[in-house]
Amino acid sequence: MSTEITRHSTNTALTIAEDQTGFTDQQIAALRQIGLGANTQADVEVFFHQAKRSGLDPFRREIYMITRKTKTGPKATIQTGIDGYRLISQRVTERTKGTFGYEDTQWCGTDGVWRDVWIGQEPPSAARVTVVRNGQRFPGIAIWDEYVQTKRDGSVTQM
């Protein structure tokens, strides 16, 4: 149940500086390559603010700005990635001097059998993860049909 998030102190052109007040042109270019999309300047500024406020790094895929097409036009939302949630958990655990870990992810098919690895060609019907905090288990199950992102025609998106 390893929970250690390793952070290297390597500074690059993408590193968000402590005193930085907005994304640099180089950071914007990199974000566009990993999916920032054609967002407004205001959306980008809000995203920067949220990244700075939370201490989550979009270049480490801890936080994302996802833009979806809606009937009224593009809609940007900010989402925390799994690595961001892991980092937040590590911070809380260190601050409270508690313990935190998680058990191996399991996958389930339409047959209702849980497996340690999914090798089927079709997506699994469900995934299960159990978080262990201060010795107490908190299981969570995600059902494919509840989370799958679809296009207007019903086909599955890349998300």
Side-chain angles (χ1 to χ4, degrees):
M1 289 195 311
S2 175
T3 60
E4 186 65 27
I5 305 292
T6 304
R7 285 223 179 232
H8 300 285
S9 61
T10 305
N11 287 330
T12 69
L14 298 181
T15 302
I16 298 174
E18 191 68 35
D19 62 346
Q20 192 172 330
T21 60
F23 288 122
T24 66
D25 290 342
Q26 195 166 7
Q27 289 168 332
I28 292 284
L31 286 169
R32 291 202 190 289
Q33 289 297 312
I34 60 173
L36 186 66
N39 298 95
T40 67
Q41 182 62 31
D43 285 339
V44 173
E45 289 173 10
V46 169
F47 183 49
F48 179 81
H49 170 77
Q50 186 62 19
K52 282 286 283 197
R53 190 189 69 73
S54 65
L56 299 177
D57 188 338
F59 304 106
R60 289 190 171 127
R61 301 196 181 251
E62 296 167 350
I63 189 169
Y64 299 87
M65 184 161 62
I66 307 292
T67 303
R68 293 181 175 86
K69 295 177 186 174
T70 69
K71 292 178 183 176
T72 59
K75 170 89 170 135
T77 59
I78 298 171
Q79 297 176 206
T80 303
I82 187 66
D83 290 334
Y85 283 118
R86 288 181 178 135
L87 180 60
I88 291 167
S89 296
Q90 180 179 338
R91 290 174 182 165
V92 170
T93 300
E94 289 170 359
R95 198 167 38 247
T96 62
K97 305 211 183 326
T99 61
F100 170 80
Y102 46 90
E103 296 174 358
D104 291 338
T105 301
Q106 293 185 310
W107 313 95
C108 185
T110 56
D111 58 3
V113 176
W114 290 98
R115 296 170 178 85
D116 294 332
V117 65
W118 187 258
I119 57 173
Q121 295 299 312
E122 72 287 343
S125 298
R128 175 172 63 189
V129 175
T130 300
V131 173
V132 182
R133 181 173 163 93
N134 297 330
Q136 190 171 0
R137 297 174 78 246
F138 298 92
I141 297 175
I143 307 296
W144 169 263
D145 289 340
E146 294 176 357
Y147 289 92
V148 64
Q149 299 284 312
T150 58
K151 300 176 187 174
R152 290 183 185 181
D153 67 4
S155 63
V156 177
T157 71
Q158 67 182 13
M159 299 301 287

